[in-house]
Amino acid sequence: MTSVEGRRIPATKAHDVFRRPPPAGSGGAPAECGAVPLILADFHQISRTFNRLNLKEDLNGQGDQNIDSSSQCTCSVFWCAHKMPVKKKRKSSGSEDASMKKCRISSFCRVQTASRLISDDSFSSKKCLAWFYEYAGADEVVGPEGMEKFCEDIGVEPENIIMLVLAWKLEAQNMGFFTKEEWLKGMTSLQCDCTERLQGKFDYLRSQLNDLSAFKQIYRYAFDFARDKDQRSLDIDTAKSMLALLLGRTWALFSAFYQFLEQSKYRVMNKDQWFNVLEFSRTVLADLSNYDEDGAWPVLLDEFVEWQKTRQSS
């Protein structure tokens, strides 16, 4: 008799302890006492295989050492299972995890941001109308009080030239007033439905003053915009104020012309005189050397040239 793990089995079966059991139907049924050791031996083999597979994923460079120690193990399979390292999930470095996490978050945010930008970039007529009613009175017109609040909200003084360019864009008929139709038509052309969008258009509105064609339109528009609708001409004070706004920074002779108007007998300025002042400012040199006295200039400008030459000679 031979003792295996404290149990006695016939000697003739001792050499079969770690053999696989014969296939079913072979007629050679294993000894009852050898069944457990055979199963343990197979499980031991499986555990060693898993152990090696686990060690292949070891990222610390200690795989060879663990393989050697496990290959020498001859103890009980339960002890081996207890000592066998628990298989761990493969982990990336902290920087890789952070990078991957950041990538996922960035990807999500980009989609959301793009969606938000598309939404923000679309002009809303409904929003534009609601914006209009923030300043309009019961008569559905933005009047002096509403205009003052509007200028305050957009951060522009009422006398700023941007307001004149904006009125031109809205095709406003009366100074200091915006009707609902003018507002909706003009703001739609500018694609502005809120204060922030209009503020974003300030550079564009200023650029119109540097375009010769656009400036000429604005200048001509200003005459009808500023005059009283029951009058065909501008009163001289309004004319001086509008000229200061439009030509004060660009016309070298503006200061002299303003002084001339101050001391002249003129109380109004008609449309022909108004249009010709712009042409005069663009074509006549500051020293008046190229002024053609026989030209088709209004008497107003002939008198100004004579007055200015007298001042220069004295």
Side-chain angles (χ1 to χ4, degrees):
M1 301 291 289
T2 301
S3 176
V4 178
E5 294 185 332
R7 301 180 62 180
R8 298 178 63 82
I9 60 174
T12 57
K13 299 290 184 178
H15 64 282
D16 291 327
V17 169
F18 295 104
R19 290 183 181 177
R20 293 180 178 274
S26 63
E32 179 181 357
C33 60
V36 172
L38 287 172
I39 294 172
L40 294 178
D42 286 349
F43 192 57
H44 185 202
Q45 183 67 24
I46 292 171
S47 69
R48 291 177 59 195
T49 301
F50 276 127
N51 193 25
R52 286 196 297 271
L53 290 174
N54 181 59
L55 292 172
K56 286 181 180 181
E57 295 185 2
D58 192 336
L59 301 178
N60 297 321
Q62 298 178 355
D64 294 338
Q65 178 180 352
N66 290 335
I67 291 174
D68 292 339
S69 62
S70 63
S71 63
Q72 297 174 1
C73 178
T74 57
C75 58
S76 168
V77 67
F78 299 107
W79 185 87
C80 289
H82 175 70
K83 295 291 289 183
M84 183 175 68
V86 178
K87 187 171 182 179
K88 300 178 180 179
K89 293 183 180 180
R90 185 185 181 103
K91 293 184 176 180
S92 301
S93 64
S95 61
E96 291 178 350
D97 289 345
S99 176
M100 290 299 292
K101 184 176 181 181
K102 181 178 180 181
C103 181
R104 288 194 297 270
I105 293 174
S106 298
S107 177
F108 175 80
C109 290
R110 282 195 296 270
V111 173
Q112 296 298 317
T113 300
S115 176
R116 185 167 58 253
L117 287 176
I118 291 172
S119 176
D120 288 347
D121 284 343
S122 59
F123 172 80
S124 169
S125 296
K126 184 177 180 180
K127 186 177 178 182
C128 184
L129 184 59
W131 185 34
F132 168 79
Y133 281 119
E134 291 182 19
Y135 309 106
D139 56 354
E140 296 194 336
V141 173
V142 177
E145 291 184 4
M147 194 67 69
E148 183 178 355
K149 183 177 185 299
F150 174 66
C151 290
E152 181 180 346
D153 287 350
I154 65 175
V156 173
E157 295 294 329
E159 62 271 15
N160 192 301
I161 196 169
I162 285 182
M163 291 302 297
L164 176 61
V165 181
L166 178 62
W168 169 65
K169 279 293 183 180
L170 269 59
E171 299 181 12
Q173 296 299 307
N174 297 295
M175 181 183 291
F177 297 88
F178 291 150
T179 66
K180 183 172 70 173
E181 292 73 19
E182 292 167 350
W183 180 284
L184 291 177
K185 182 180 178 181
M187 293 301 184
T188 300
S189 69
L190 291 171
Q191 291 291 282
C192 294
D193 55 15
C194 63
T195 299
E196 293 74 17
R197 285 181 183 275
L198 181 57
Q199 290 173 329
K201 292 287 186 178
F202 283 175
D203 288 342
Y204 164 73
L205 295 175
R206 290 190 185 96
S207 72
Q208 300 302 292
L209 300 170
N210 299 322
D211 182 276
L212 292 179
S213 178
F215 181 81
K216 185 174 183 178
Q217 294 179 48
I218 295 168
Y219 181 89
R220 292 193 168 198
Y221 162 81
F223 181 85
D224 288 323
F225 178 65
R227 71 177 174 85
D228 292 332
K229 295 305 177 280
D230 58 348
Q231 300 292 326
R232 299 183 61 182
S233 301
L234 279 177
D235 69 83
I236 201 65
D237 290 333
T238 302
K240 288 187 294 184
S241 298
M242 296 302 292
L243 287 172
L245 187 65
L246 290 160
L247 301 177
R249 296 173 299 171
T250 58
W251 185 22
L253 288 173
F254 172 75
S255 178
F257 186 68
Y258 189 93
Q259 293 178 47
F260 165 75
L261 292 178
E262 286 275 291
Q263 59 83 49
S264 72
K265 64 181 185 297
Y266 290 95
R267 295 295 175 261
V268 296
M269 183 178 291
N270 62 39
K271 184 175 287 190
D272 181 64
Q273 292 168 333
W274 177 265
F275 287 178
N276 274 277
V277 168
L278 175 63
E279 188 66 20
F280 184 95
S281 70
R282 288 182 169 182
T283 59
V284 177
L285 300 177
D287 61 2
L288 304 175
S289 59
N290 66 334
Y291 181 75
D292 183 5
E293 294 181 357
D294 296 326
W297 296 109
V299 175
L300 170 71
L301 292 173
D302 288 333
E303 293 177 352
F304 165 65
V305 171
E306 183 179 354
W307 179 83
Q308 178 65 3
K309 286 183 176 180
T310 302
R311 290 182 63 201
Q312 290 176 344
S313 62
S314 60

